[in-house]
Amino acid sequence: MTVSVADARAVLAANDRGGYTVPTAKLYPFQWNWDSAFVAMGFATFDLDRALTELERLVQGQWADGMIPHIVFHAPADTYFPGPEVWGTHHAPPTSGITQPPVLAIALADLARRGADPARVRALYRAALANHRWWWQARDPEHRGFVALLHPWESGRDNAPSWEGPLARVPETTTTEVRRRDTGHVDASMRPSDSEYRRFIHLVDTYRAAGWDPVRLWQAAPFKVGDVGVTAILLGAEAALLGLAATHGTDADQAEIAARIAAGEAGLRRLWCDAIGQYASHDLIGEALLPAPCSAGFLPLLTGAPGAAEVAALAALLRRWKAEGQLLVPSAPRDAPGFDSARYWRGPVWAVVNWLIAEGLRRHGETELATQVRADTRAAIEGAGFCEYFDPLSRAGLGGDGFSWTAAIYLLLAEEGAAP
Ligand code: DGY
């Protein structure tokens, strides 16, 4: 299959709903939080104004307490479940009540570096600062140095093997009728199971009943996991925010952000797991590390947390996975319990995670491996098109197609000369 920069731009244009971009038609017909940040960086390669608008539309969904929801329902659509009536939040525009990986400041720093309008950057900087404060206050109230998720959807890695143990505590009973729409658009073998879905909706029911108040949610949560992926992304975003604060913030902002980075990097170091030679998430209810090998375990490379020994171990593991014939970077490796090369976050390769891992490898001087990860990403997209995710063994394109964030990553890779 031949794909080009023009094709990638056409995917973004096709998914543009007027200032915000849906991840893909039908399967995800609204604005998704971390998708939007990658999409903004994709737009920024050719249209900075449109890139800023993407982020501005996202923060229209921001709550008064700083939380940025994982979905903003700008316009109705009947091809998705659970819609705004299930979430029952009280925001205009309507939103979900949980969040997603905070890539916003990483995208904003990229736009600023390219010369985006400073006044618009400043307004978004304030939104990102409020959001980061929310993360640490609402999701690390015990000051452990890593942030917790109360729903697997908040990780963006909905059905990752790491969630299996913690999710087993969540009952399958729901007060909402579960009417899955996703399996009408994509083969059920590529999506989370029905049992997982019922538990996902049980959590939504629980939090809606708690009125979406962060303190009550923390107390009520039957799922509470300190996530290595989101914590690493948040710290990468904090570093981006610190850079922006030099121009757009105060000295006090800079001191506050630097203190959070120091505490967060110390927290991440406590998530190192010798058993898998990677960083791991931590189950706050069972008080145990969740030693499941996964792509998220490399994301601390985005931060200053890893020392030379950890960088070497992570690089060696990636090289091993590659030598075993896997397209980098599988969301779970082929020898992991629960591996399924086609099922969402149980094996498939995701372009956005690859882009983040490559950035992290570059930060730590592993440039050759960073180039390998980028080349694998490019090969996957050129082989199968702008699919949602890719089989790490067969390289087949899976999930939704015409996918915005895959197109956005292709544009970033193309700009760096990693694609024609
Ligand atoms: C979904 O609906 O599959 C999303 O990942 C949840 O945000």
Side-chain angles (χ1 to χ4, degrees), residues 2-43:
T2 325
V3 304
S4 67
V5 164
D7 296 333
R9 291 184 185 182
V11 168
L12 294 187
N15 291 334
D16 188 348
R17 296 292 180 269
Y20 73 92
T21 307
V22 300
T24 185
K26 295 201 182 96
L27 183 61
Y28 301 119
F30 308 107
Q31 188 177 24
W32 257 260
N33 180 336
W34 72 321
D35 293 70
S36 272
F38 291 107
V39 161
M41 287 191 275
F43 272 123

Side-chain angles (χ1 to χ4, degrees), residues 27-28 32 70-71 80-82 100 153 156 158 182 191-192 197 344:
L27 183 61
Y28 301 119
W32 257 260
H70 95 300
I71 306 175
Y80 182 80
F81 172 87
Q100 247 186 349
W153 284 345
D158 304 3
D182 58 321
R191 297 285 305 175
Y197 248 81
Y344 217 41

Side-chain angles (χ1 to χ4, degrees), residues 10 47 55 62 71 95 106 123 153 221 227 275 288 297 310 312 343 350 390:
D47 186 346
L55 299 181
Q62 185 166 29
I71 306 175
T95 70
I106 295 175
W153 284 345
D227 179 34
E310 288 78 25
R343 200 182 283 278
W350 294 72
F390 303 90

Side-chain angles (χ1 to χ4, degrees), residues 135-144 146 148 214 218 224 284:
W135 266 108
W136 293 108
Q137 277 162 17
R139 297 308 183 81
D140 185 24
E142 296 162 8
H143 306 293
R144 294 176 187 242
F146 45 81
W218 187 265
K224 199 183 289 181
L284 290 177

